[in-house]
Amino acid sequence: MRMAENTLSVLKIAPGQHPQQVEIDNDLKALQQAVGGSIGASYPFADPVAIVYNDDGKLMGLPLNRALRDENGQMYDAVAGTFLVVGLGEEDFASLSPEMAQKYEQLFHQPEAFLKLGNRLLVLPVPDEPPAEKPRTKPPAEHDR
């Protein structure tokens, strides 16, 4: 039997941000700290990976982060708050393999915004702002004063 890893190499995905590959301790406290509360785990993919999220995220009103989609690209759920994509070992969470880290970094790369329209939820990719446009938006406000 293999010993559980002491630290895990996982993807941490915060609302409005690109995924980050981080090292966290492989214990409950570190996982809870990473997602800001009690953890839940979901296994929506065929790969040996799990999504570890704040179990009370939606109840706490945490911002919606990313949509989870079925094989047809239809959203069936959304993750609220920061979540982790972790690998699955035989009995425990494990580090993501480089291939899995790359695959899920690409899958969750684009931050998403959620708009409520009546009882429907629209999911929009948040565009990357080209750096050239940032300086132009600030100076006019300062000149107006």
Side-chain angles (χ1 to χ4, degrees), residues 7 13 21 23 30 34 44 57-58 62-63 69-70 90 100 108 112 123 130 134 139:
T7 60
I13 303 167
Q21 194 148 11
E23 301 279 326
K58 288 180 184 164
L62 294 179
R69 295 179 171 84
D70 63 20
E90 286 174 30
M100 289 295 137
F108 291 118
E112 292 177 325
V123 185
K134 278 190 181 148

Side-chain angles (χ1 to χ4, degrees), residues 1-101:
M1 193 174 101
R2 203 168 58 84
M3 288 297 293
E5 300 169 79
N6 291 332
T7 60
L8 301 178
S9 178
V10 302
L11 285 179
K12 182 176 183 176
I13 303 167
Q17 295 179 17
H18 295 297
Q20 289 180 297
Q21 194 148 11
V22 298
E23 301 279 326
I24 67 167
D25 290 331
N26 188 8
D27 63 42
L28 184 61
K29 195 172 151 205
L31 293 168
Q32 288 172 331
Q33 232 170 353
V35 301
S38 61
I39 62 168
S42 167
Y43 310 92
F45 308 109
D47 294 321
V49 300
I51 289 179
V52 176
Y53 55 91
N54 184 322
D55 209 18
D56 302 318
K58 288 180 184 164
L59 292 171
M60 292 165 63
L62 294 179
L64 293 179
N65 186 343
R66 297 295 200 280
L68 295 179
R69 295 179 171 84
D70 63 20
E71 58 276 359
N72 302 317
Q74 295 296 312
M75 181 175 96
Y76 62 86
D77 200 1
V79 183
T82 299
F83 67 95
L84 305 172
V85 180
V86 303
L88 289 177
E90 286 174 30
E91 297 172 9
D92 207 347
F93 296 137
S95 288
L96 287 173
S97 67
E99 300 79 34
M100 289 295 137

Side-chain angles (χ1 to χ4, degrees), residues 77-139:
D77 200 1
V79 183
T82 299
F83 67 95
L84 305 172
V85 180
V86 303
L88 289 177
E90 286 174 30
E91 297 172 9
D92 207 347
F93 296 137
S95 288
L96 287 173
S97 67
E99 300 79 34
M100 289 295 137
Q102 188 178 6
K103 177 178 179 177
Y104 288 95
E105 197 288 330
Q106 287 171 348
L107 180 70
F108 291 118
H109 180 76
Q110 202 59 51
E112 292 177 325
F114 295 81
L115 292 178
K116 209 165 160 48
L117 279 185
N119 56 5
R120 291 192 44 221
L121 203 56
L122 277 188
V123 185
L124 304 170
V126 176
D128 293 329
E129 287 184 54
E133 286 184 25
K134 278 190 181 148
R136 268 191 284 147
T137 53
K138 270 220 159 102

